[in-house]
């Protein structure tokens, strides 16, 4: 029996579903995004190995070049304000809000030179994606073992000063699309104080106008990115971590609502009366 008519009919049906169904469009775009990540990771890994021979932060410029092309396929634009604050020739800890799997595109748009990310150890085992992260110098932390994580951060602090690196961390610790920021975890602030380097907050506007996993919305859109003034840590000690966390949290939260121009969804107050980071 000739299978080609059946395959053609199935393909036409799939295309029809994608055109008519919002959910089908959403899952098709997400599937394509995941496929792109795996495919590009293989090509980028080969390029990094040919260019630099192994694991180095210099590979991040190659990875960034590949990932930045995704935005053209998805019709996304990134408007970045204050980029020069990221490009200053100094070590620093960069913190930003974390909303969805699309954050990788936003990160690569703003990524400065000699910048590595801190990620959970489980990502290392995601096949070619884990490989390209490893080759790019991403620092993997075992978050299930707090003592190991603290020891790893101590090593990172020494290395970032010695090699003049920037380290990018998501202080919320997990993806969050509730229309607000989650309370921050201490790791990024402990690292900055230990290394006595400034913290540079980076805020991405809400994706909710074009991406929402709950309503299966995934269209084109614009992401506003604001790089805030650096927060110094010179002279601070571990005892100052709660105050430092709250300073960054309030500044980023205020900026988030300002550039997102969307109401909060969790009912918590915005601005100075908001609950501080824990």
């Amino acid at each position: 029996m000739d299978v080609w008519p059946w395959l053609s009919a199935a393909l036409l049906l799939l295309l029809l579903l994608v055109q008519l169904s919002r959910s089908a469009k959403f899952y098709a775009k997400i599937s394509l995004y995941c496929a792109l990540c795996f495919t590009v990771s293989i090509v980028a890994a080969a390029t990094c190995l040919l260019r630099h021979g192994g694991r180095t932060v210099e590979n991040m410029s190659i990875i960034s070049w590949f990932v930045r092309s995704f935005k053209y396929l998805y019709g996304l634009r990134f408007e970045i304000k204050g980029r020069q604050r990221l490009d200053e020739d100094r070590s620093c800890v960069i913190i930003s809000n974390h909303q969805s799997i699309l954050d990788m595109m936003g990160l690569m748009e703003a990524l400065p030179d000699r910048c590595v990310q801190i990620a959970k150890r489980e990502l290392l085992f995601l096949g070619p994606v884990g490989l390209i992260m490893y080759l790019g110098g991403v620092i993997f932390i075992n978050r299930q073992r707090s003592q190991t994580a603290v020891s790893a951060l101590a090593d990172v602090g020494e290395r970032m000063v010695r090699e003049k690196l920037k380290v990018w961390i998501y202080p919320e610790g997990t993806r969050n699309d509730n229309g607000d920021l989650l309370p921050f975890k201490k790791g990024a602030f402990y690292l900055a104080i230990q290394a006595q380097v400034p913290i540079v907050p980076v805020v991405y506007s809400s994706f909710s106008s074009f991406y929402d996993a709950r309503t299966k919305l995934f269209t084109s859109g614009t992401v506003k990115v604001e790089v805030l003034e650096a927060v110094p840590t010179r002279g601070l000690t571990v005892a100052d971590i709660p105050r430092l966390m709250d300073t960054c949290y309030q500044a980023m939260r205020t900026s988030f609502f300002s550039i997102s121009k969307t109401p909060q969804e969790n009912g918590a107050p915005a601005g100075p009366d908001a609950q501080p980071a824990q």
Side-chain angles (χ1 to χ4, degrees), residues 3 11 23 65 70 77 97 101 128-129 151 157 181-182 188 247 272-273:
V3 298
L11 180 58
S23 293
W65 183 85
F70 288 14
R77 294 178 62 247
N97 52 319
I101 61 173
V129 174
S151 176
L181 301 187
L182 293 177
T247 297
D273 295 329

Side-chain angles (χ1 to χ4, degrees), residues 7-19:
L7 288 175
S8 299
L11 180 58
L12 287 172
L13 179 60
L14 178 60
L15 290 173
L16 181 62
L17 284 173
V18 169
Q19 289 298 318

